[in-house]
Amino acid sequence: EPKIERVEVTLTIVDLAGSERLATTHATGVHKEEGIHINMGLLSLGNVINCLANASTAGNPRATHVPYRSHKLTRVLSGALGGNSKTLFIACVSGDASNVQETLCTLNYAARAQDIRNNARRNTVARVPPPKSEPPKRPAPPAPRLRVNAKLMSSSAPTSP
C-alpha cells in the first residue's frame, strides 16, 4: 500500500521591542512596569542566545543547559532558536549619534545570534492509509411495537381548534 507523507511546518514571527532604558524614557507607573518586563524578556533571550552560541562554537550543542523556561518569550521561541528550524534574525539599528549605545548593544546581540547553528531537516510524518472498509450500514428500522406506540401517541395528541 502507498504511504502518505504529511509535512509539518511552523512559522513564528516575532517583533521584539528595544530595551527600555528608564533613565531616558522617564517612564512611571504602568509604563515603567512594562519596560521592566520587556527588559526581563530581552535578558532571558540574550542568555539563551549566549548558551546556544557557546554550544555551537564549542561543537557540542548539548554541552550546556539552555534556560528556555526562564521567560515566556524564550519558551515560545525555543523551537526557532535551538530546534529543527531555519531562523532569520533581523536587527534594526539607528545611525543617529544619540543612539550609539543601543546600536552597539543590538549589533552585539545579533552577532551572538549569528553564531547559533541549527540542524534543520524536513518534518515528515509517514502514515499508512486505513484499509478500505465497507460502506456504513443503514440503521435497523424501529421495532414494530415502537411503531405502534408512536401511532397511538400521535392519534391521542390534542388537536388545535
Side-chain angles (χ1 to χ4, degrees), residues 18 26-27 30 34 39 46 50 58 63 68 71 78-80 84 87 94 101 111-112 118 124 131 135-136 141 143:
H26 305 293
V30 175
E34 287 177 1
N39 288 340
N50 285 337
Y68 289 119
H71 197 270
S78 63
N84 177 20
T87 304
S94 172
Q101 187 63 35
R112 292 300 288 167
N118 286 346
T124 57

Side-chain angles (χ1 to χ4, degrees), residues 19-40:
S19 64
E20 297 295 317
R21 301 198 185 276
L22 295 177
T24 57
T25 61
H26 305 293
T28 59
V30 175
H31 295 292
K32 180 180 177 181
E33 292 297 319
E34 287 177 1
I36 290 170
H37 287 294
I38 289 170
N39 288 340
M40 287 172 45

Side-chain angles (χ1 to χ4, degrees), residues 8-157:
E8 295 179 353
V9 178
T10 301
L11 176 65
T12 306
I13 300 174
V14 179
D15 180 13
L16 298 175
S19 64
E20 297 295 317
R21 301 198 185 276
L22 295 177
T24 57
T25 61
H26 305 293
T28 59
V30 175
H31 295 292
K32 180 180 177 181
E33 292 297 319
E34 287 177 1
I36 290 170
H37 287 294
I38 289 170
N39 288 340
M40 287 172 45
L42 292 174
L43 177 65
S44 295
L45 182 60
N47 291 339
V48 168
I49 287 173
N50 285 337
C51 288
L52 291 171
N54 290 340
S56 294
T57 55
N60 186 359
R62 304 217 186 267
T64 182
H65 169 71
V66 181
Y68 289 119
R69 293 184 176 203
S70 62
H71 197 270
K72 286 181 185 179
L73 176 65
T74 55
R75 200 172 305 151
V76 168
L77 294 178
S78 63
L81 290 171
N84 177 20
S85 65
K86 292 184 178 184
T87 304
L88 175 65
F89 189 98
I90 300 173
C92 298
V93 296
S94 172
D96 194 339
S98 66
N99 295 325
V100 170
Q101 187 63 35
E102 286 83 3
T103 298
L104 288 175
C105 288
T106 301
L107 291 174
N108 287 333
Y109 208 80
R112 292 300 288 167
Q114 188 176 5
D115 290 339
I116 298 173
R117 298 287 174 247
N118 286 346
N119 184 16
R121 57 195 177 279
R122 189 173 177 178
N123 293 329
T124 57
V125 178
R127 297 185 317 173
V128 177
K132 292 183 180 178
S133 62
E134 299 176 13
K137 295 181 180 179
R138 298 177 91 190
R145 182 176 49 130
L146 294 177
R147 236 183 274 140
V148 170
N149 288 343
K151 286 180 182 177
L152 289 174
M153 290 179 70
S154 64
S155 64
S156 65

